């Protein structure tokens, strides 16, 4: 059954819409007091992510508060390597840490594709629960990290400023690194397909670290494996197309390459000129983005003007194929009332032209 508000899905299919749909990366997060309350009840981030009831609760919080046009499954990109047995923990002050980083040939050989309906059943349970709670108000987005981004954390064992060990493996043992990427691509494909089967109505691949690669290396080590995932995805479910979005932070150099992968939409970070992006790829795919998340720290006039600049740059406002979003995740210190200003402005300004 189609959502009552299916504007987001229609925009991804580059169909005409009544207004420009908006959702925000990391829209269920620490800037929301109700999220912090639920997380406190859960006891930890993974306690939140692995409990379908809590995951449902926080997924719906920004929908209920702001009237956003799409919900995104509350989870984490590192659930996949965690399901491979690498031992994920979120350490205060350090972030995600793996007990068993993948830093040897033996560790690579021990990697396997987890069964999403076994090791990741809690995610599928959350998808089913969220769809039921949404009651077809808006679509649900499923997601995963890209094979390359997952590999960055798996090899380093944690976040990093320069990902030295990743690049060392990439240049010294590209055969080994590509084995990791191939396993990750198979795992991400299975994971996203299971989310779709459980009820996700669109999916996004987050390539958070692809932008740190050189030209040529990006195509070889990141884009190739995102395309492998896209080629293996379920394209239709519940009688409708399941659109896909790829987002590479720092990927403005490769928009045409990204648009040629078969994705329905390409996400832009805030550094990309929207007008140029539209001219390059806007007739091939939908475009998602791309306001600077820190524009939400401005006053009301500044926020409204920033939103209009993005829509005008895509322009003419009212043209099909734009999903409004931030150029990266919403900051945890964002004033909650400013998000409502943004959502209202996107809806009201775009309705004049659609």
């Amino acid at each position: 059954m189609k959502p009552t508000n299916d504007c987001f899905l229609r925009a991804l299919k580059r169909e005409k819409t009544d207004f420009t749909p908006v959702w925000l990366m990391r829209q269920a997060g620490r800037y929301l007091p109700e999220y912090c309350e639920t997380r406190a009840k859960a006891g930890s981030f993974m306690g939140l992510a692995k409990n379908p009831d809590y995951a449902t609760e926080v997924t719906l919080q920004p929908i209920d508060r702001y009237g956003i046009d799409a919900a995104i499954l509350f989870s984490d990109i590192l659930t996949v390597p965690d399901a491979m047995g690498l031992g994920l923990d979120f350490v205060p002050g350090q972030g995600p840490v793996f007990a068993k980083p993948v830093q040897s040939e033996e560790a690579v050989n021990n990697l396997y594709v987890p069964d999403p309906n076994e090791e990741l059943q809690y995610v599928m349970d959350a998808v089913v629960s969220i769809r039921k709670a949404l009651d077809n108000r808006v679509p649900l987005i499923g997601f995963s990290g890209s094979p390359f981004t997952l590999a960055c954390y798996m090899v380093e064992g944690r976040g990093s400023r320069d990902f030295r060990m990743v690049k060392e493996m990439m240049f010294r043992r590209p055969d080994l690194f590509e084995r990791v990427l191939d396993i990750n691509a198979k795992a991400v494909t299975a994971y996203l397909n299971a989310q779709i089967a459980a009820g996700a109505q669109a999916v996004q691949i987050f390539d958070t670290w692809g932008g740190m690669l050189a030209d040529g290396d990006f195509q070889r080590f990141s884009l190739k494996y995102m395309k492998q995932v896209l080629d293996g995805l379920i394209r239709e479910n519940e009688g409708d197309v399941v659109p896909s979005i790829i987002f590479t932070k720092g990927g403005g150099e490769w928009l045409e390459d990204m648009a040629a992968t078969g994705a329905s939409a390409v996400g832009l970070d805030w550094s990309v000129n929207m007008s140029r992006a539209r001219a390059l790829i806007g007739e091939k795919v939908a475009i998602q983005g791309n306001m600077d998340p820190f524009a939400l720290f401005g006053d009301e006039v500044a926020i409204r003007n920033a939103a209009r600049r993005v829509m005008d740059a895509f322009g003419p406002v009212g043209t099909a194929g734009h999903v409004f979003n931030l150029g990266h995740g919403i900051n945890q210190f964002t004033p909650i009332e400013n998000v409502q200003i943004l959502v209202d402005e996107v809806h009201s300004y775009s309705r004049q032209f659609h």
Side-chain angles (χ1 to χ4, degrees):
M1 185 183 297
K2 287 188 178 181
T4 304
N5 173 4
D6 67 345
C7 189
F8 165 74
L9 296 176
R10 283 187 284 130
L12 289 179
K13 291 183 279 187
R14 298 173 61 232
E15 298 173 357
K16 290 287 186 179
T17 57
D18 297 330
F19 57 90
T20 299
V22 54
W23 72 280
L24 308 174
M25 288 185 278
R26 213 179 289 141
Q27 63 190 23
R30 287 177 288 177
Y31 75 104
L32 287 175
E34 55 266 46
Y35 169 89
C36 295
E37 290 172 13
T38 307
R39 178 166 170 162
K41 285 190 293 184
S44 67
F45 177 84
M46 288 308 287
L48 191 61
K50 290 191 173 185
N51 183 307
D53 292 335
Y54 286 146
T56 299
E57 194 174 311
V58 295
T59 298
L60 266 65
Q61 285 167 353
I63 310 301
D64 294 337
R65 180 186 274 269
Y66 297 120
I68 288 171
D69 300 304
I72 181 164
L73 163 70
F74 183 82
S75 188
D76 191 85
I77 63 170
L78 299 181
T79 53
V80 171
D82 182 47
M84 293 177 178
L86 302 188
L88 175 64
D89 190 21
F90 282 83
V91 179
Q94 295 185 51
V97 176
F98 284 110
K100 301 174 183 177
V102 181
Q103 295 173 349
S104 66
E105 188 154 1
E106 181 184 9
V108 173
N109 290 336
N110 287 336
L111 291 175
Y112 63 94
V113 176
D115 184 339
N117 292 308
E118 292 290 341
E119 291 97 336
L120 291 160
Q121 184 61 48
Y122 66 91
V123 177
M124 307 315 140
D125 291 343
V127 172
V128 172
S129 174
I130 293 163
R131 275 295 303 273
K132 184 177 178 181
L134 281 171
D135 194 27
N136 284 317
R137 283 187 286 162
V138 296
L140 174 62
I141 306 166
F143 75 93
S144 176
S146 72
F148 175 76
T149 290
L150 297 183
C152 285
Y153 289 101
M154 292 161 66
V155 173
E156 293 287 333
R158 62 186 65 225
S160 171
R161 290 185 178 180
D162 58 9
F163 289 101
R164 177 183 61 81
M165 285 185 278
V166 172
K167 288 202 168 183
E168 185 176 334
M169 183 184 287
M170 192 175 87
F171 288 115
R172 185 170 290 184
R173 288 293 308 273
D175 61 316
L176 209 58
F177 192 57
E178 287 175 327
R179 209 179 310 163
V180 176
L181 294 170
D182 183 60
I183 292 167
N184 285 355
K186 291 181 171 75
V188 169
T189 304
Y191 183 50
L192 290 178
N193 279 339
Q195 290 181 38
I196 293 167
Q201 292 149 294
V203 292
Q204 173 156 319
I205 300 172
F206 285 88
D207 188 33
T208 309
W209 298 116
M212 74 172 180
L213 292 168
D215 187 46
D217 292 333
F218 172 74
Q219 288 86 342
R220 177 180 177 183
F221 296 110
S222 183
L223 192 70
K224 172 184 174 181
Y225 295 95
M226 284 195 285
K227 186 176 189 314
Q228 183 177 326
V229 172
L230 291 164
D231 287 346
L233 287 184
I234 296 169
R235 296 290 179 167
E236 290 189 26
N237 193 43
E238 299 180 357
D240 203 359
V241 172
V242 181
S244 54
I245 309 162
I246 56 172
F247 171 72
T248 296
K249 184 171 177 282
E253 173 71 20
W254 307 299
L255 295 181
E256 290 176 285
D257 291 337
M258 292 166 72
T261 58
S264 310
V266 171
L268 312 180
D269 69 27
W270 67 88
S271 69
V272 177
N273 181 293
M274 174 68 84
S275 296
R276 285 195 209 120
R278 175 80 194 284
L280 278 172
I281 64 172
E283 298 306 313
K284 302 170 186 172
V285 291
I287 293 176
Q288 178 176 280
N290 69 332
M291 194 176 90
D292 186 337
F294 284 93
L296 284 168
F297 287 83
D299 61 19
E300 180 173 347
V301 172
I303 294 167
R304 292 186 185 277
N305 286 340
R308 290 185 183 199
R309 280 198 302 274
V310 170
M311 290 183 281
D312 288 341
F314 181 86
V317 172
T319 307
H322 184 209
V323 173
F324 192 100
N325 207 315
L326 302 177
H328 198 235
I330 189 168
N331 184 273
Q332 71 179 89
F333 300 108
T334 301
I336 56 173
E337 63 276 9
N338 289 2
V339 176
Q340 190 68 67
I341 292 169
L342 174 64
V343 173
D344 290 347
E345 183 62 24
V346 173
H347 286 163
S348 62
Y349 186 66
S350 63
R351 276 186 192 278
Q352 301 173 57
F353 304 94
H354 278 263

